[in-house]
Amino acid sequence: MAAVVAGLARLLQPAMMFPRGESGCQGPAPWYLLLGLRLVALFIADGPWSSASPDLVCNWTLVEADIRPFCSALCFNRRFLAPVSSVWGFAFLAALLPVGLMGFIRAGSQHQGKAVRGADEELTDIAGVSHSMAAGSSMATGTIHPLPNRATARTNMVPSEPKMSSHCTWPSMAFSFCVFLLLSMELVFFWVVVSLQIPLVSETTFLCFPGADTCPKAVECALAGQADKQMALWVLAFTAFVNMAACLAYLLLTLGKLSQCHRR
């Protein structure tokens, strides 16, 4: 797990850098930064939880030494019915999907903006050439005619379109949908960690019922490193809370700007 986390960190390091010439809050860079926070949390949580199965200690005073590993494995499987560390990895991979879509949407929006600016510059050059030719013709004939400036010529050449705020376009709406999708995933992950995983390590001891004829009917067990395992889970829950807060803040700001767009 630690090797996988280190590899993903090196993979995402260029993406987490804020791009030049762009406002960081308008691009996917902050979301990659939040994924980097999750990577650090996964690296911290991997230490205490990498030895969860050997850390299970039970009271085998009346059980033969040969069958203790078998009964211990049964107790571990009954205690941890749902996966623990695998859920963390799946949640991280799921969060990569909307964040990656944010990058594609922002890149497409920037490409479209560059194309529009290039067309505007071309129209401006054409209007300037027309302005110069008309001025030369007026000087040759000795007559002076009022000439429209470049802004007027550009306005006459391009049909008027209603101005729309950048927050009302479809790329911004798609970006907001990705943020909402990320919020939903983080909410589910937060619920799994707090409601399902943390209670597993909250009890000091618990009764295990192996359910095998060779094992005792009930045995008292404990999980070593309980405090470290609890802290690792709370760190993951904290990262999910930070991601949810960032998503909610972005969505609330976007809703406020959309309301301003509809009022115009």
PDB file of all heavy atoms in Angstrom, residues 219-246:
ATOM      1  N   VAL A 219     -15.081 -16.563  22.406  1.00  0.00           N
ATOM      2  CA  VAL A 219     -13.757 -16.235  22.919  1.00  0.00           C
ATOM      3  C   VAL A 219     -13.625 -14.709  22.940  1.00  0.00           C
ATOM      4  O   VAL A 219     -14.151 -14.017  22.069  1.00  0.00           O
ATOM      5  CB  VAL A 219     -12.652 -16.877  22.061  1.00  0.00           C
ATOM      6  CG1 VAL A 219     -12.696 -16.355  20.637  1.00  0.00           C
ATOM      7  CG2 VAL A 219     -11.282 -16.636  22.673  1.00  0.00           C
ATOM      8  N   GLU A 220     -12.938 -14.216  23.951  1.00  0.00           N
ATOM      9  CA  GLU A 220     -12.747 -12.774  24.095  1.00  0.00           C
ATOM     10  C   GLU A 220     -11.486 -12.353  23.349  1.00  0.00           C
ATOM     11  O   GLU A 220     -10.417 -12.949  23.528  1.00  0.00           O
ATOM     12  CB  GLU A 220     -12.634 -12.404  25.563  1.00  0.00           C
ATOM     13  CG  GLU A 220     -12.654 -10.911  25.822  1.00  0.00           C
ATOM     14  CD  GLU A 220     -12.648 -10.577  27.300  1.00  0.00           C
ATOM     15  OE1 GLU A 220     -12.357 -11.489  28.107  1.00  0.00           O
ATOM     16  OE2 GLU A 220     -12.925  -9.427  27.658  1.00  0.00           O
ATOM     17  N   CYS A 221     -11.630 -11.310  22.523  1.00  0.00           N
ATOM     18  CA  CYS A 221     -10.510 -10.854  21.687  1.00  0.00           C
ATOM     19  C   CYS A 221     -10.313  -9.354  21.861  1.00  0.00           C
ATOM     20  O   CYS A 221     -11.209  -8.630  22.313  1.00  0.00           O
ATOM     21  CB  CYS A 221     -10.746 -11.177  20.213  1.00  0.00           C
ATOM     22  SG  CYS A 221     -10.914 -12.942  19.843  1.00  0.00           S
ATOM     23  N   ALA A 222      -9.136  -8.916  21.468  1.00  0.00           N
ATOM     24  CA  ALA A 222      -8.790  -7.495  21.488  1.00  0.00           C
ATOM     25  C   ALA A 222      -7.919  -7.197  20.277  1.00  0.00           C
ATOM     26  O   ALA A 222      -7.271  -8.089  19.711  1.00  0.00           O
ATOM     27  CB  ALA A 222      -8.067  -7.133  22.781  1.00  0.00           C
ATOM     28  N   LEU A 223      -7.897  -5.939  19.888  1.00  0.00           N
ATOM     29  CA  LEU A 223      -7.119  -5.508  18.727  1.00  0.00           C
ATOM     30  C   LEU A 223      -5.964  -4.644  19.210  1.00  0.00           C
ATOM     31  O   LEU A 223      -6.183  -3.600  19.838  1.00  0.00           O
ATOM     32  CB  LEU A 223      -8.002  -4.727  17.746  1.00  0.00           C
ATOM     33  CG  LEU A 223      -7.448  -4.500  16.336  1.00  0.00           C
ATOM     34  CD1 LEU A 223      -7.252  -5.833  15.621  1.00  0.00           C
ATOM     35  CD2 LEU A 223      -8.376  -3.607  15.533  1.00  0.00           C
ATOM     36  N   ALA A 224      -4.739  -5.063  18.932  1.00  0.00           N
ATOM     37  CA  ALA A 224      -3.567  -4.303  19.358  1.00  0.00           C
ATOM     38  C   ALA A 224      -3.440  -3.022  18.540  1.00  0.00           C
ATOM     39  O   ALA A 224      -3.885  -2.941  17.391  1.00  0.00           O
ATOM     40  CB  ALA A 224      -2.303  -5.163  19.206  1.00  0.00           C
ATOM     41  N   GLY A 225      -2.812  -2.015  19.144  1.00  0.00           N
ATOM     42  CA  GLY A 225      -2.654  -0.733  18.456  1.00  0.00           C
ATOM     43  C   GLY A 225      -3.968  -0.032  18.221  1.00  0.00           C
ATOM     44  O   GLY A 225      -4.167   0.582  17.167  1.00  0.00           O
ATOM     45  N   GLN A 226      -4.861  -0.120  19.185  1.00  0.00           N
ATOM     46  CA  GLN A 226      -6.206   0.430  19.003  1.00  0.00           C
ATOM     47  C   GLN A 226      -6.185   1.932  18.813  1.00  0.00           C
ATOM     48  O   GLN A 226      -6.875   2.472  17.942  1.00  0.00           O
ATOM     49  CB  GLN A 226      -7.076   0.059  20.205  1.00  0.00           C
ATOM     50  CG  GLN A 226      -8.513   0.520  20.096  1.00  0.00           C
ATOM     51  CD  GLN A 226      -9.316   0.161  21.337  1.00  0.00           C
ATOM     52  OE1 GLN A 226      -8.758  -0.114  22.385  1.00  0.00           O
ATOM     53  NE2 GLN A 226     -10.632   0.164  21.217  1.00  0.00           N
ATOM     54  N   ALA A 227      -5.384   2.634  19.609  1.00  0.00           N
ATOM     55  CA  ALA A 227      -5.339   4.095  19.504  1.00  0.00           C
ATOM     56  C   ALA A 227      -4.804   4.543  18.146  1.00  0.00           C
ATOM     57  O   ALA A 227      -5.326   5.497  17.540  1.00  0.00           O
ATOM     58  CB  ALA A 227      -4.483   4.657  20.637  1.00  0.00           C
ATOM     59  N   ASP A 228      -3.763   3.878  17.657  1.00  0.00           N
ATOM     60  CA  ASP A 228      -3.198   4.249  16.350  1.00  0.00           C
ATOM     61  C   ASP A 228      -4.190   3.994  15.223  1.00  0.00           C
ATOM     62  O   ASP A 228      -4.303   4.791  14.286  1.00  0.00           O
ATOM     63  CB  ASP A 228      -1.919   3.456  16.097  1.00  0.00           C
ATOM     64  CG  ASP A 228      -0.797   3.866  17.030  1.00  0.00           C
ATOM     65  OD1 ASP A 228      -0.825   5.004  17.519  1.00  0.00           O
ATOM     66  OD2 ASP A 228       0.100   3.030  17.272  1.00  0.00           O
ATOM     67  N   LYS A 229      -4.904   2.897  15.314  1.00  0.00           N
ATOM     68  CA  LYS A 229      -5.895   2.590  14.276  1.00  0.00           C
ATOM     69  C   LYS A 229      -7.051   3.590  14.306  1.00  0.00           C
ATOM     70  O   LYS A 229      -7.553   4.013  13.255  1.00  0.00           O
ATOM     71  CB  LYS A 229      -6.407   1.166  14.455  1.00  0.00           C
ATOM     72  CG  LYS A 229      -5.369   0.098  14.126  1.00  0.00           C
ATOM     73  CD  LYS A 229      -5.903  -1.284  14.357  1.00  0.00           C
ATOM     74  CE  LYS A 229      -4.929  -2.348  13.876  1.00  0.00           C
ATOM     75  NZ  LYS A 229      -3.614  -2.259  14.518  1.00  0.00           N
ATOM     76  N   GLN A 230      -7.483   3.980  15.481  1.00  0.00           N
ATOM     77  CA  GLN A 230      -8.536   4.993  15.580  1.00  0.00           C
ATOM     78  C   GLN A 230      -8.060   6.330  15.004  1.00  0.00           C
ATOM     79  O   GLN A 230      -8.793   6.998  14.271  1.00  0.00           O
ATOM     80  CB  GLN A 230      -8.961   5.166  17.038  1.00  0.00           C
ATOM     81  CG  GLN A 230      -9.833   4.052  17.580  1.00  0.00           C
ATOM     82  CD  GLN A 230     -10.231   4.301  19.023  1.00  0.00           C
ATOM     83  OE1 GLN A 230      -9.631   5.111  19.725  1.00  0.00           O
ATOM     84  NE2 GLN A 230     -11.258   3.604  19.471  1.00  0.00           N
ATOM     85  N   MET A 231      -6.831   6.709  15.337  1.00  0.00           N
ATOM     86  CA  MET A 231      -6.298   7.975  14.829  1.00  0.00           C
ATOM     87  C   MET A 231      -6.196   7.965  13.308  1.00  0.00           C
ATOM     88  O   MET A 231      -6.490   8.964  12.644  1.00  0.00           O
ATOM     89  CB  MET A 231      -4.919   8.230  15.448  1.00  0.00           C
ATOM     90  CG  MET A 231      -4.347   9.596  15.121  1.00  0.00           C
ATOM     91  SD  MET A 231      -5.419  10.916  15.761  1.00  0.00           S
ATOM     92  CE  MET A 231      -4.673  12.353  14.991  1.00  0.00           C
ATOM     93  N   ALA A 232      -5.789   6.829  12.745  1.00  0.00           N
ATOM     94  CA  ALA A 232      -5.697   6.737  11.290  1.00  0.00           C
ATOM     95  C   ALA A 232      -7.060   6.922  10.638  1.00  0.00           C
ATOM     96  O   ALA A 232      -7.190   7.616   9.615  1.00  0.00           O
ATOM     97  CB  ALA A 232      -5.099   5.386  10.902  1.00  0.00           C
ATOM     98  N   LEU A 233      -8.087   6.331  11.223  1.00  0.00           N
ATOM     99  CA  LEU A 233      -9.436   6.481  10.660  1.00  0.00           C
ATOM    100  C   LEU A 233      -9.943   7.906  10.806  1.00  0.00           C
ATOM    101  O   LEU A 233     -10.600   8.439   9.897  1.00  0.00           O
ATOM    102  CB  LEU A 233     -10.383   5.506  11.354  1.00  0.00           C
ATOM    103  CG  LEU A 233     -10.149   4.023  11.060  1.00  0.00           C
ATOM    104  CD1 LEU A 233     -11.060   3.160  11.913  1.00  0.00           C
ATOM    105  CD2 LEU A 233     -10.363   3.728   9.583  1.00  0.00           C
ATOM    106  N   TRP A 234      -9.645   8.551  11.930  1.00  0.00           N
ATOM    107  CA  TRP A 234     -10.089   9.934  12.102  1.00  0.00           C
ATOM    108  C   TRP A 234      -9.359  10.884  11.149  1.00  0.00           C
ATOM    109  O   TRP A 234      -9.930  11.888  10.715  1.00  0.00           O
ATOM    110  CB  TRP A 234      -9.896  10.375  13.548  1.00  0.00           C
ATOM    111  CG  TRP A 234     -10.961   9.899  14.475  1.00  0.00           C
ATOM    112  CD1 TRP A 234     -10.827   9.022  15.524  1.00  0.00           C
ATOM    113  CD2 TRP A 234     -12.356  10.260  14.444  1.00  0.00           C
ATOM    114  NE1 TRP A 234     -12.031   8.818  16.142  1.00  0.00           N
ATOM    115  CE2 TRP A 234     -12.996   9.561  15.498  1.00  0.00           C
ATOM    116  CE3 TRP A 234     -13.109  11.081  13.628  1.00  0.00           C
ATOM    117  CZ2 TRP A 234     -14.355   9.684  15.746  1.00  0.00           C
ATOM    118  CZ3 TRP A 234     -14.476  11.201  13.881  1.00  0.00           C
ATOM    119  CH2 TRP A 234     -15.079  10.511  14.915  1.00  0.00           C
ATOM    120  N   VAL A 235      -8.118  10.576  10.820  1.00  0.00           N
ATOM    121  CA  VAL A 235      -7.393  11.391   9.831  1.00  0.00           C
ATOM    122  C   VAL A 235      -8.074  11.293   8.471  1.00  0.00           C
ATOM    123  O   VAL A 235      -8.262  12.300   7.763  1.00  0.00           O
ATOM    124  CB  VAL A 235      -5.921  10.953   9.755  1.00  0.00           C
ATOM    125  CG1 VAL A 235      -5.236  11.557   8.541  1.00  0.00           C
ATOM    126  CG2 VAL A 235      -5.176  11.370  11.017  1.00  0.00           C
ATOM    127  N   LEU A 236      -8.465  10.087   8.084  1.00  0.00           N
ATOM    128  CA  LEU A 236      -9.180   9.918   6.817  1.00  0.00           C
ATOM    129  C   LEU A 236     -10.529  10.631   6.839  1.00  0.00           C
ATOM    130  O   LEU A 236     -10.950  11.240   5.841  1.00  0.00           O
ATOM    131  CB  LEU A 236      -9.366   8.432   6.516  1.00  0.00           C
ATOM    132  CG  LEU A 236      -8.096   7.650   6.184  1.00  0.00           C
ATOM    133  CD1 LEU A 236      -8.401   6.162   6.100  1.00  0.00           C
ATOM    134  CD2 LEU A 236      -7.499   8.139   4.873  1.00  0.00           C
ATOM    135  N   ALA A 237     -11.230  10.547   7.972  1.00  0.00           N
ATOM    136  CA  ALA A 237     -12.503  11.250   8.092  1.00  0.00           C
ATOM    137  C   ALA A 237     -12.304  12.768   8.006  1.00  0.00           C
ATOM    138  O   ALA A 237     -13.136  13.476   7.421  1.00  0.00           O
ATOM    139  CB  ALA A 237     -13.182  10.881   9.411  1.00  0.00           C
ATOM    140  N   PHE A 238     -11.202  13.258   8.553  1.00  0.00           N
ATOM    141  CA  PHE A 238     -10.916  14.685   8.472  1.00  0.00           C
ATOM    142  C   PHE A 238     -10.698  15.136   7.031  1.00  0.00           C
ATOM    143  O   PHE A 238     -11.174  16.199   6.614  1.00  0.00           O
ATOM    144  CB  PHE A 238      -9.693  15.012   9.324  1.00  0.00           C
ATOM    145  CG  PHE A 238      -9.197  16.421   9.168  1.00  0.00           C
ATOM    146  CD1 PHE A 238      -9.873  17.480   9.756  1.00  0.00           C
ATOM    147  CD2 PHE A 238      -8.049  16.696   8.419  1.00  0.00           C
ATOM    148  CE1 PHE A 238      -9.420  18.790   9.597  1.00  0.00           C
ATOM    149  CE2 PHE A 238      -7.596  17.981   8.264  1.00  0.00           C
ATOM    150  CZ  PHE A 238      -8.279  19.036   8.857  1.00  0.00           C
ATOM    151  N   THR A 239      -9.961  14.331   6.245  1.00  0.00           N
ATOM    152  CA  THR A 239      -9.758  14.697   4.845  1.00  0.00           C
ATOM    153  C   THR A 239     -11.080  14.712   4.080  1.00  0.00           C
ATOM    154  O   THR A 239     -11.305  15.580   3.231  1.00  0.00           O
ATOM    155  CB  THR A 239      -8.786  13.717   4.183  1.00  0.00           C
ATOM    156  OG1 THR A 239      -9.308  12.380   4.260  1.00  0.00           O
ATOM    157  CG2 THR A 239      -7.437  13.751   4.871  1.00  0.00           C
ATOM    158  N   ALA A 240     -11.960  13.755   4.387  1.00  0.00           N
ATOM    159  CA  ALA A 240     -13.270  13.747   3.729  1.00  0.00           C
ATOM    160  C   ALA A 240     -14.070  14.987   4.122  1.00  0.00           C
ATOM    161  O   ALA A 240     -14.766  15.590   3.285  1.00  0.00           O
ATOM    162  CB  ALA A 240     -14.035  12.480   4.093  1.00  0.00           C
ATOM    163  N   PHE A 241     -13.977  15.396   5.381  1.00  0.00           N
ATOM    164  CA  PHE A 241     -14.691  16.589   5.837  1.00  0.00           C
ATOM    165  C   PHE A 241     -14.158  17.843   5.136  1.00  0.00           C
ATOM    166  O   PHE A 241     -14.942  18.717   4.728  1.00  0.00           O
ATOM    167  CB  PHE A 241     -14.557  16.725   7.347  1.00  0.00           C
ATOM    168  CG  PHE A 241     -15.232  17.944   7.914  1.00  0.00           C
ATOM    169  CD1 PHE A 241     -16.598  17.964   8.125  1.00  0.00           C
ATOM    170  CD2 PHE A 241     -14.489  19.071   8.232  1.00  0.00           C
ATOM    171  CE1 PHE A 241     -17.221  19.095   8.631  1.00  0.00           C
ATOM    172  CE2 PHE A 241     -15.106  20.208   8.743  1.00  0.00           C
ATOM    173  CZ  PHE A 241     -16.474  20.216   8.944  1.00  0.00           C
ATOM    174  N   VAL A 242     -12.842  17.941   4.992  1.00  0.00           N
ATOM    175  CA  VAL A 242     -12.253  19.098   4.301  1.00  0.00           C
ATOM    176  C   VAL A 242     -12.702  19.134   2.840  1.00  0.00           C
ATOM    177  O   VAL A 242     -13.048  20.195   2.300  1.00  0.00           O
ATOM    178  CB  VAL A 242     -10.720  19.048   4.410  1.00  0.00           C
ATOM    179  CG1 VAL A 242     -10.074  20.110   3.527  1.00  0.00           C
ATOM    180  CG2 VAL A 242     -10.284  19.255   5.855  1.00  0.00           C
ATOM    181  N   ASN A 243     -12.713  17.986   2.180  1.00  0.00           N
ATOM    182  CA  ASN A 243     -13.158  17.928   0.783  1.00  0.00           C
ATOM    183  C   ASN A 243     -14.631  18.319   0.652  1.00  0.00           C
ATOM    184  O   ASN A 243     -15.012  19.039  -0.290  1.00  0.00           O
ATOM    185  CB  ASN A 243     -12.942  16.528   0.224  1.00  0.00           C
ATOM    186  CG  ASN A 243     -11.472  16.193   0.081  1.00  0.00           C
ATOM    187  OD1 ASN A 243     -10.612  17.064   0.165  1.00  0.00           O
ATOM    188  ND2 ASN A 243     -11.169  14.925  -0.120  1.00  0.00           N
ATOM    189  N   MET A 244     -15.463  17.849   1.589  1.00  0.00           N
ATOM    190  CA  MET A 244     -16.875  18.219   1.543  1.00  0.00           C
ATOM    191  C   MET A 244     -17.063  19.712   1.772  1.00  0.00           C
ATOM    192  O   MET A 244     -17.896  20.355   1.111  1.00  0.00           O
ATOM    193  CB  MET A 244     -17.656  17.418   2.585  1.00  0.00           C
ATOM    194  CG  MET A 244     -17.816  15.959   2.253  1.00  0.00           C
ATOM    195  SD  MET A 244     -18.964  15.106   3.376  1.00  0.00           S
ATOM    196  CE  MET A 244     -18.135  15.319   4.938  1.00  0.00           C
ATOM    197  N   ALA A 245     -16.298  20.290   2.695  1.00  0.00           N
ATOM    198  CA  ALA A 245     -16.402  21.728   2.943  1.00  0.00           C
ATOM    199  C   ALA A 245     -15.990  22.531   1.714  1.00  0.00           C
ATOM    200  O   ALA A 245     -16.638  23.532   1.358  1.00  0.00           O
ATOM    201  CB  ALA A 245     -15.539  22.112   4.150  1.00  0.00           C
ATOM    202  N   ALA A 246     -14.929  22.104   1.030  1.00  0.00           N
ATOM    203  CA  ALA A 246     -14.494  22.798  -0.179  1.00  0.00           C
ATOM    204  C   ALA A 246     -15.548  22.695  -1.282  1.00  0.00           C
ATOM    205  O   ALA A 246     -15.836  23.676  -1.985  1.00  0.00           O
ATOM    206  CB  ALA A 246     -13.156  22.230  -0.652  1.00  0.00           C
TER     207      ALA A 246
END
